[in-house]
Amino acid sequence: MSDPFIPQNFALSAPFSDGDPSETQEWRESLESVLLASGPQRVRELMDVLAAIARAPEIGWRPATGTPYVNTIVAAQQPAFPGDLATEERLASLMRWNALAMVVRANKAYGELGGHIASYASAADLFEVGFNHFFRGGEQGDLVFYQPHSAPGVYARAFLEGRLSEADLAHYRQEISARKQGATGLSSYPHPWLMPDFWQFPTGSMGIGPISSIYQARFMRYLQHRGLLDTSARRVWGVFGDGEMDEPESMSALTLAAREKLDNLTWVVNCNLQRLDGPVRGNGRIIDELEALFAGAGWRVIKLVWGSDWDGLFARDTDGALARVFSTTVDGQFQTFAAKDGRYNREHFFGQDPALAALAQGLTDEQIDRLKRGGHDLVKVYAAYHAAMQTTGRPTVVLAQTKKGYGMGEAGQGRMTTHQQKKLERDDLIAFRDRFDLPITDEQAASLAFYRPAEDSPEMQYLHARRAALGGYIPARRNEAPPVAVPPLARYGEFALRAEGKEMSTTMAFVRMLSALLKDAALGPRVVPIVADEARTFGMANLFKQIGIYSFNGQAYEPEDIGSVLSYREATDGQILEEGISEAGAISSWTSAATSYSVHGQAMLPFYIYYSMFGFQRVGDLIWAAADQRSRGFLLGATAGRTTLGGEGLQHQDGTSLIHAATVPNCRAYDPCFAGEFAVILDHGMRQMMERQEDVFYYVTLMNENYAQPSLPAGVEGDVIKGLYRYATCEPEKPRSNSKAQAKVRLLGSGTILREVIAAAELLAREWGVASEVWSATSFSELARDARESERFNRLHPSGEARLSHVQRCLAGTAPVIAATDYVRAWPQLIAAYIDAPFTALGTDGFGRSDTRAALRSFFEVDRHHVVLAALTALRAQGLVDAALCVDAIARYGLSVDDSAAWLV
Ligand SMILES: Cc1ncc(C[n+]2csc(CCOP(=O)(O)OP(=O)(O)O)c2C)c(N)n1
């Protein structure tokens, strides 16, 4: 193959079996002659025909999933680099320096602060090409998901851009002390909660950035197709590590991105071949593995493996020696080559093959040392991104090979330990200065002085001009969108407020309210109902036809149930996001909608309804990220409660989600029993988020148990929101002889267990002569939040009038308090410390199991009989009833006194 038109990839790099080499040679020559005579398109056509024949089951041929270890965009196809290369290289060097100086400085001052140098060092060029040529700014600019531990580089750029000051940089990872100095503390990773004007997307927990970016790109299409917002010019970029691709979340939505043809999405995977502990695939090649994965999922894969200085080597490599050696070199070895100098590489890389050694003959050791991998070559990076931008009909991934700790020399490049390197000695700093030709003195280097060129320098002018051309500086986050009016509660919730004993479950009540809200002219279009293949479970099938299921390409089939009023209807402008069995996907969609006010300046109101067990427990970290991102919307934990779900058993019955929810600072969690309570919570939440634009979100449990719904007592709305209101009082006709007249308890219940509590109050009055108050505890976590705040205020204001929390006001006095819920005891115990009276919590600790609701409630000791016994026991401790009453109650209700350890689980 001597003709230069034959691509170097043509060399056979893998050892193929060959039963008849001379016949093979004839075929090869035929193909080469077609290529020379008619060009690549004709070769592709012929190959398609041959492949179709060879794939017949009788032959069983399968194409290899990989391509040779070379760049996808060959030199001849590269576009001209449109920038000023020398200036961009100088700027990249400055970013590298300031990022490094920031991390090393912080750790010199306080060794515990941590931070990373090596990741950004390897990713700097990938970022810089994006910032100088592709990442568009402005209100409808691109959405960039930044690799979290490359944040120092993003700060370094904002410093040069004049958006962060030297004092800010000096407070990297010191948000608290920065405030006292009037500086902006720079958060460790992208955290919108901590830097609300800067970061848009939290990516600090590996895997969350990748999946979120896919659903964000998809949500932009949803907004577009529903005619709500023109997002066609926006792109989503994600810059991630090759190690991060190991996370299940990173991989789980690849096929969705391809299926929905998300050509508004580009990922750049920085393949520095290392993760934290060592090589990502020491004995294999991560680029090959990812190529097969992404291509198999339907993405366009652009491999960016080698820099421009390899082009000449490839051109001279007429017998494919490079491809041959690459095909047998594993990543662990490539890492060693990265860590070693030019001489070592001459001997051990080029020395593997006489043809390769000959190739390297014209190069000095220094030149071999500086041979760039693709991700460090601005021209090649530009070519890859440019090709990604041209791609239509599918998402693109750029697999960019780099060196971890690039330029850190002996101190870090390619070292096993480089990920956590955060201290550098004087000599290393000066060597880094020399390596990148930085205009600073030895002393400035040693003292880690930040460097910003003069505003009128060519570099700074170039930097600003590039951003101006691209629409402004990024990252930048906005905090507000025009408010959306919420209809009056009576319009959609009257049936629940005045239920007058009608039977329904709170899930049914929710669906009815949702249906009505969807019809509201202002709010309706902003509602985003989300399900993960459970709409029928929650009685939402009627919405399929009413508002349609979003499908980017409509409905290409006649649904089986076409004649039915509940027919399954997919439509391009469908409103429901039906995410299939992917809670991670559904919550990512929810977050996209819940942050639309900020990301798109268009507030949306997502309602994601799911089996409550598969929320916080299953995708809690994604919810934590949504909280960081200041999401606004409703999460509805349906089929909630460990005993309410009856037959579903251990993995379905949720007794803990409210505890998880209580730990999320901006989550407002409620466990209402009655539809009227739910209506009030819904109304309050919508106003808080859509009208007042507060950065909170709601988690509300919904039950599938049908029961008579009372009308909401007048005037309790405020207390429903605070978490506790008095539902009823229950007086005995006459006290029993062995209970004192003043025997009185306060009974608290939440969710469906409130109904057991109400029944217990009646039993106490009728059968035991005990008076009670029944309180509906809609939220123990809201009560605790308020009580904590009062407690703190009183501690810090010892001389003023003490503040009373809502729970203290409601439950003053010494009458025992019994709280029973369908959740673990820790849920009601959130308020225990704030109550002076004796407090007993009944709950469903342990594993769930299958049985009837009644059997389960008895087993977990949260039914009416156990509430009665708990009340009598508390009164006995106060000397207000005799012990004999408790003995009687156990006998009368047939309560099990089995105290074996097995009971606990
Ligand atoms: C869920 C999660 N697990 C672990 C970590 C800790 N962690 C941070 S960076 C990192 C290695 C990342 O390697 P890679 O993605 O290859 O990026 P590189 O730094 O090599 O560019 C790990 C394990 C994390 N941030 N999130």
Short mmCIF file of all heavy atoms in Angstrom, two decimals, residues 116 118-120 122-123 147-150 189 203-208 240-247 249 269-278 280 402 404 418-419 621, ligand 1:
data_model
loop_
_atom_site.label_atom_id
_atom_site.label_comp_id
_atom_site.label_asym_id
_atom_site.label_seq_id
_atom_site.Cartn_x
_atom_site.Cartn_y
_atom_site.Cartn_z
N HIS A 116 -8.00 19.14 43.72
CA HIS A 116 -7.35 18.32 42.70
C HIS A 116 -6.63 19.19 41.68
O HIS A 116 -7.16 20.22 41.28
CB HIS A 116 -8.38 17.46 41.98
CG HIS A 116 -9.18 16.60 42.92
ND1 HIS A 116 -10.34 17.05 43.52
CD2 HIS A 116 -8.96 15.36 43.39
CE1 HIS A 116 -10.81 16.10 44.31
NE2 HIS A 116 -9.99 15.07 44.26
N ALA A 118 -4.47 17.32 39.10
CA ALA A 118 -4.14 16.48 37.95
C ALA A 118 -5.28 16.36 36.95
O ALA A 118 -5.04 16.22 35.75
CB ALA A 118 -3.71 15.10 38.42
N SER A 119 -6.52 16.41 37.43
CA SER A 119 -7.64 16.21 36.52
C SER A 119 -7.77 17.38 35.55
O SER A 119 -7.85 17.20 34.33
CB SER A 119 -8.95 16.02 37.30
OG SER A 119 -8.83 14.92 38.15
N TYR A 120 -7.77 18.61 36.11
CA TYR A 120 -7.86 19.76 35.21
C TYR A 120 -6.62 19.84 34.32
O TYR A 120 -6.71 20.20 33.14
CB TYR A 120 -8.07 21.07 35.98
CG TYR A 120 -8.11 22.24 35.04
CD1 TYR A 120 -9.19 22.41 34.17
CD2 TYR A 120 -7.03 23.13 34.94
CE1 TYR A 120 -9.21 23.45 33.25
CE2 TYR A 120 -7.04 24.17 34.03
CZ TYR A 120 -8.13 24.32 33.18
OH TYR A 120 -8.14 25.34 32.25
N SER A 122 -5.14 17.58 32.95
CA SER A 122 -5.34 16.75 31.75
C SER A 122 -6.49 17.28 30.89
O SER A 122 -6.52 17.05 29.69
CB SER A 122 -5.58 15.29 32.14
OG SER A 122 -6.88 15.11 32.64
N ALA A 123 -7.43 17.99 31.50
CA ALA A 123 -8.63 18.40 30.76
C ALA A 123 -8.57 19.83 30.23
O ALA A 123 -9.47 20.27 29.51
CB ALA A 123 -9.86 18.25 31.66
N GLN A 147 -16.90 18.53 34.60
CA GLN A 147 -16.32 17.50 35.48
C GLN A 147 -16.02 18.16 36.83
O GLN A 147 -15.35 19.20 36.88
CB GLN A 147 -15.04 16.97 34.86
CG GLN A 147 -14.45 15.83 35.64
CD GLN A 147 -13.04 15.46 35.18
OE1 GLN A 147 -12.25 16.35 34.84
NE2 GLN A 147 -12.74 14.19 35.18
N PRO A 148 -16.52 17.58 37.93
CA PRO A 148 -16.49 18.32 39.20
C PRO A 148 -15.09 18.68 39.69
O PRO A 148 -14.85 19.81 40.11
CB PRO A 148 -17.18 17.37 40.18
CG PRO A 148 -17.07 16.01 39.56
CD PRO A 148 -17.13 16.25 38.08
N HIS A 149 -14.18 17.71 39.62
CA HIS A 149 -12.86 18.00 40.19
C HIS A 149 -11.97 18.77 39.22
O HIS A 149 -10.80 18.96 39.50
CB HIS A 149 -12.21 16.73 40.74
CG HIS A 149 -12.40 15.54 39.87
ND1 HIS A 149 -13.64 14.95 39.69
CD2 HIS A 149 -11.55 14.84 39.12
CE1 HIS A 149 -13.52 13.94 38.84
NE2 HIS A 149 -12.26 13.86 38.48
N SER A 150 -12.55 19.21 38.10
CA SER A 150 -11.84 20.17 37.25
C SER A 150 -12.30 21.59 37.57
O SER A 150 -11.92 22.54 36.87
CB SER A 150 -12.10 19.87 35.77
OG SER A 150 -11.33 18.76 35.37
N TYR A 189 -16.83 21.76 44.39
CA TYR A 189 -17.32 21.27 43.10
C TYR A 189 -18.49 22.16 42.67
O TYR A 189 -18.90 23.04 43.44
CB TYR A 189 -17.78 19.81 43.25
CG TYR A 189 -16.72 18.91 43.82
CD1 TYR A 189 -16.86 18.31 45.07
CD2 TYR A 189 -15.54 18.68 43.11
CE1 TYR A 189 -15.86 17.50 45.60
CE2 TYR A 189 -14.54 17.86 43.64
CZ TYR A 189 -14.71 17.27 44.87
OH TYR A 189 -13.72 16.48 45.38
N THR A 203 -22.40 18.32 39.87
CA THR A 203 -21.86 17.11 39.23
C THR A 203 -20.92 16.36 40.16
O THR A 203 -20.29 15.39 39.75
CB THR A 203 -21.07 17.50 37.96
OG1 THR A 203 -20.12 18.51 38.31
CG2 THR A 203 -21.98 18.03 36.88
N GLY A 204 -20.81 16.83 41.41
CA GLY A 204 -19.78 16.32 42.32
C GLY A 204 -19.87 14.84 42.60
O GLY A 204 -18.87 14.20 42.93
N SER A 205 -21.06 14.29 42.49
CA SER A 205 -21.22 12.87 42.74
C SER A 205 -21.20 12.18 41.37
O SER A 205 -22.07 12.42 40.52
CB SER A 205 -22.54 12.64 43.46
OG SER A 205 -22.76 11.28 43.63
N MET A 206 -20.19 11.36 41.17
CA MET A 206 -19.97 10.77 39.84
C MET A 206 -21.23 10.07 39.31
O MET A 206 -21.90 9.35 40.04
CB MET A 206 -18.86 9.72 39.90
CG MET A 206 -17.56 10.14 40.51
SD MET A 206 -16.39 10.76 39.29
CE MET A 206 -16.75 12.49 39.38
N GLY A 207 -21.50 10.28 38.06
CA GLY A 207 -22.63 9.62 37.40
C GLY A 207 -23.84 10.53 37.30
O GLY A 207 -24.67 10.37 36.40
N ILE A 208 -23.92 11.49 38.20
CA ILE A 208 -25.12 12.34 38.21
C ILE A 208 -25.06 13.35 37.07
O ILE A 208 -26.07 13.62 36.41
CB ILE A 208 -25.28 12.97 39.59
CG1 ILE A 208 -25.79 11.87 40.51
CG2 ILE A 208 -26.20 14.18 39.56
CD1 ILE A 208 -26.13 12.26 41.89
N PHE A 240 -16.68 14.81 31.04
CA PHE A 240 -16.62 13.83 32.13
C PHE A 240 -15.31 13.04 32.05
O PHE A 240 -14.62 13.06 31.04
CB PHE A 240 -17.81 12.86 32.04
CG PHE A 240 -19.14 13.55 31.93
CD1 PHE A 240 -19.94 13.40 30.81
CD2 PHE A 240 -19.59 14.37 32.97
CE1 PHE A 240 -21.17 14.05 30.71
CE2 PHE A 240 -20.82 15.02 32.87
CZ PHE A 240 -21.60 14.86 31.74
N GLY A 241 -15.05 12.30 33.14
CA GLY A 241 -13.85 11.48 33.17
C GLY A 241 -14.14 10.07 32.65
O GLY A 241 -15.29 9.61 32.66
N ASP A 242 -13.08 9.38 32.22
CA ASP A 242 -13.29 8.00 31.75
C ASP A 242 -13.62 7.09 32.93
O ASP A 242 -14.40 6.15 32.80
CB ASP A 242 -12.07 7.47 30.96
CG ASP A 242 -10.73 7.76 31.61
OD1 ASP A 242 -10.69 8.39 32.69
OD2 ASP A 242 -9.70 7.34 31.04
N GLY A 243 -13.08 7.39 34.11
CA GLY A 243 -13.44 6.58 35.28
C GLY A 243 -14.91 6.74 35.62
O GLY A 243 -15.59 5.78 36.02
N GLU A 244 -15.43 7.95 35.43
CA GLU A 244 -16.82 8.22 35.77
C GLU A 244 -17.78 7.39 34.92
O GLU A 244 -18.93 7.15 35.30
CB GLU A 244 -17.12 9.72 35.59
CG GLU A 244 -18.52 10.10 36.03
CD GLU A 244 -18.75 11.59 36.15
OE1 GLU A 244 -17.88 12.37 35.73
OE2 GLU A 244 -19.81 11.98 36.68
N MET A 245 -17.30 6.92 33.80
CA MET A 245 -18.17 6.11 32.93
C MET A 245 -18.51 4.76 33.56
O MET A 245 -19.39 4.05 33.11
CB MET A 245 -17.51 5.90 31.56
CG MET A 245 -17.37 7.17 30.75
SD MET A 245 -18.96 7.96 30.39
CE MET A 245 -18.89 9.44 31.39
N ASP A 246 -17.78 4.40 34.63
CA ASP A 246 -18.11 3.14 35.33
C ASP A 246 -19.44 3.22 36.09
O ASP A 246 -20.03 2.20 36.41
CB ASP A 246 -17.02 2.81 36.37
CG ASP A 246 -15.78 2.23 35.72
OD1 ASP A 246 -15.84 1.86 34.54
OD2 ASP A 246 -14.75 2.15 36.41
N GLU A 247 -19.87 4.42 36.41
CA GLU A 247 -21.10 4.56 37.20
C GLU A 247 -22.31 4.06 36.40
O GLU A 247 -22.45 4.41 35.22
CB GLU A 247 -21.35 6.02 37.59
CG GLU A 247 -20.39 6.57 38.62
CD GLU A 247 -20.66 6.04 40.03
OE1 GLU A 247 -21.58 5.22 40.21
OE2 GLU A 247 -19.93 6.45 40.94
N GLU A 249 -25.27 5.09 36.48
CA GLU A 249 -26.05 6.24 35.99
C GLU A 249 -25.45 6.80 34.70
O GLU A 249 -26.17 7.28 33.83
CB GLU A 249 -26.11 7.38 37.03
CG GLU A 249 -26.97 7.08 38.23
CD GLU A 249 -26.19 6.35 39.32
OE1 GLU A 249 -25.06 5.89 39.06
OE2 GLU A 249 -26.72 6.24 40.44
N VAL A 269 -15.46 12.79 26.77
CA VAL A 269 -14.95 11.94 27.85
C VAL A 269 -13.42 12.04 27.83
O VAL A 269 -12.77 11.68 26.84
CB VAL A 269 -15.41 10.48 27.70
CG1 VAL A 269 -14.85 9.64 28.84
CG2 VAL A 269 -16.94 10.42 27.72
N ASN A 270 -12.92 12.59 28.91
CA ASN A 270 -11.48 12.80 29.03
C ASN A 270 -10.82 11.47 29.40
O ASN A 270 -10.83 11.07 30.55
CB ASN A 270 -11.23 13.86 30.11
CG ASN A 270 -9.75 14.07 30.34
OD1 ASN A 270 -8.92 13.62 29.54
ND2 ASN A 270 -9.40 14.73 31.42
N CYS A 271 -10.26 10.82 28.40
CA CYS A 271 -9.67 9.50 28.64
C CYS A 271 -8.20 9.66 28.99
O CYS A 271 -7.31 9.47 28.14
CB CYS A 271 -9.86 8.62 27.41
SG CYS A 271 -11.61 8.34 27.03
N ASN A 272 -7.98 10.05 30.24
CA ASN A 272 -6.58 10.11 30.69
C ASN A 272 -6.14 8.75 31.22
O ASN A 272 -5.06 8.61 31.76
CB ASN A 272 -6.38 11.24 31.70
CG ASN A 272 -7.27 11.10 32.93
OD1 ASN A 272 -7.64 9.99 33.31
ND2 ASN A 272 -7.61 12.20 33.55
N LEU A 273 -7.01 7.80 31.06
CA LEU A 273 -6.73 6.38 31.34
C LEU A 273 -6.56 6.09 32.82
O LEU A 273 -6.26 4.96 33.21
CB LEU A 273 -5.48 5.89 30.57
CG LEU A 273 -5.38 6.33 29.11
CD1 LEU A 273 -4.17 5.70 28.45
CD2 LEU A 273 -6.64 5.97 28.34
N GLN A 274 -6.72 7.11 33.66
CA GLN A 274 -6.58 6.89 35.10
C GLN A 274 -7.84 7.34 35.82
O GLN A 274 -8.53 8.26 35.37
CB GLN A 274 -5.40 7.69 35.64
CG GLN A 274 -4.05 7.15 35.22
CD GLN A 274 -2.92 8.01 35.77
OE1 GLN A 274 -2.23 8.68 35.01
NE2 GLN A 274 -2.72 8.00 37.07
N ARG A 275 -8.09 6.70 36.95
CA ARG A 275 -9.14 7.19 37.86
C ARG A 275 -8.41 7.55 39.15
O ARG A 275 -7.31 8.07 39.09
CB ARG A 275 -10.24 6.15 37.99
CG ARG A 275 -9.77 4.75 38.31
CD ARG A 275 -10.89 3.72 38.15
NE ARG A 275 -10.38 2.38 38.42
CZ ARG A 275 -10.94 1.27 38.01
NH1 ARG A 275 -12.05 1.32 37.30
NH2 ARG A 275 -10.43 0.09 38.30
N LEU A 276 -9.03 7.32 40.31
CA LEU A 276 -8.40 7.79 41.54
C LEU A 276 -7.25 6.86 41.97
O LEU A 276 -6.13 7.30 42.23
CB LEU A 276 -9.46 7.90 42.64
CG LEU A 276 -9.05 8.63 43.92
CD1 LEU A 276 -10.28 9.24 44.58
CD2 LEU A 276 -8.35 7.74 44.92
N ASP A 277 -7.54 5.58 42.00
CA ASP A 277 -6.55 4.64 42.53
C ASP A 277 -5.49 4.22 41.52
O ASP A 277 -4.38 3.85 41.90
CB ASP A 277 -7.27 3.36 43.00
CG ASP A 277 -7.96 3.57 44.33
OD1 ASP A 277 -7.61 4.54 45.04
OD2 ASP A 277 -8.85 2.77 44.68
N GLY A 278 -5.83 4.22 40.26
CA GLY A 278 -4.90 3.72 39.25
C GLY A 278 -5.55 3.74 37.89
O GLY A 278 -6.45 4.55 37.64
N VAL A 280 -7.88 3.08 34.67
CA VAL A 280 -9.31 2.75 34.53
C VAL A 280 -9.45 1.32 34.00
O VAL A 280 -10.24 0.54 34.50
CB VAL A 280 -10.00 3.76 33.59
CG1 VAL A 280 -11.47 3.41 33.42
CG2 VAL A 280 -9.88 5.18 34.15
N THR A 402 -5.80 11.71 26.82
CA THR A 402 -4.92 12.72 27.43
C THR A 402 -3.99 12.03 28.42
O THR A 402 -4.05 10.82 28.60
CB THR A 402 -5.72 13.79 28.20
OG1 THR A 402 -6.41 13.13 29.27
CG2 THR A 402 -6.73 14.51 27.31
N LYS A 404 -3.03 12.15 32.46
CA LYS A 404 -3.46 12.71 33.75
C LYS A 404 -2.27 13.45 34.37
O LYS A 404 -1.13 12.96 34.34
CB LYS A 404 -3.95 11.60 34.68
CG LYS A 404 -4.66 12.16 35.92
CD LYS A 404 -5.74 11.25 36.43
CE LYS A 404 -6.41 11.84 37.65
NZ LYS A 404 -7.60 11.09 38.05
N THR A 418 -1.33 10.53 41.30
CA THR A 418 -1.48 11.93 40.88
C THR A 418 -2.85 12.52 41.21
O THR A 418 -2.97 13.73 41.43
CB THR A 418 -1.18 12.08 39.38
OG1 THR A 418 -1.02 13.46 39.09
CG2 THR A 418 -2.29 11.50 38.50
N HIS A 419 -3.90 11.68 41.27
CA HIS A 419 -5.24 12.24 41.49
C HIS A 419 -5.29 13.08 42.76
O HIS A 419 -5.95 14.11 42.82
CB HIS A 419 -6.27 11.10 41.57
CG HIS A 419 -7.68 11.60 41.61
ND1 HIS A 419 -8.40 11.89 40.48
CD2 HIS A 419 -8.51 11.89 42.65
CE1 HIS A 419 -9.60 12.32 40.81
NE2 HIS A 419 -9.69 12.33 42.12
N ASP A 621 -29.46 10.03 45.99
CA ASP A 621 -28.37 10.94 45.65
C ASP A 621 -28.77 11.88 44.51
O ASP A 621 -28.35 13.04 44.47
CB ASP A 621 -27.14 10.11 45.25
CG ASP A 621 -25.86 10.92 45.34
OD1 ASP A 621 -25.84 11.94 46.05
OD2 ASP A 621 -24.87 10.53 44.69
C1 LIG B 1 -20.31 8.75 43.45
C2 LIG B 1 -18.88 9.13 43.65
N1 LIG B 1 -17.99 8.18 44.00
C3 LIG B 1 -16.70 8.51 44.21
C4 LIG B 1 -16.27 9.80 44.08
C5 LIG B 1 -14.84 10.16 44.39
N2 LIG B 1 -14.08 10.49 43.16
C6 LIG B 1 -13.93 11.74 42.76
S1 LIG B 1 -13.05 11.86 41.37
C7 LIG B 1 -12.82 10.20 41.30
C8 LIG B 1 -12.01 9.61 40.18
C9 LIG B 1 -12.46 10.16 38.87
O1 LIG B 1 -11.80 9.55 37.82
P1 LIG B 1 -12.13 9.97 36.34
O2 LIG B 1 -13.58 10.04 36.13
O3 LIG B 1 -11.36 9.07 35.46
O4 LIG B 1 -11.62 11.47 36.24
P2 LIG B 1 -10.13 12.05 36.15
O5 LIG B 1 -9.90 12.74 37.42
O6 LIG B 1 -9.20 10.91 35.94
O7 LIG B 1 -10.17 12.97 34.99
C10 LIG B 1 -13.45 9.58 42.36
C11 LIG B 1 -13.45 8.11 42.60
C12 LIG B 1 -17.24 10.76 43.72
N3 LIG B 1 -16.94 12.04 43.58
N4 LIG B 1 -18.51 10.39 43.48
#
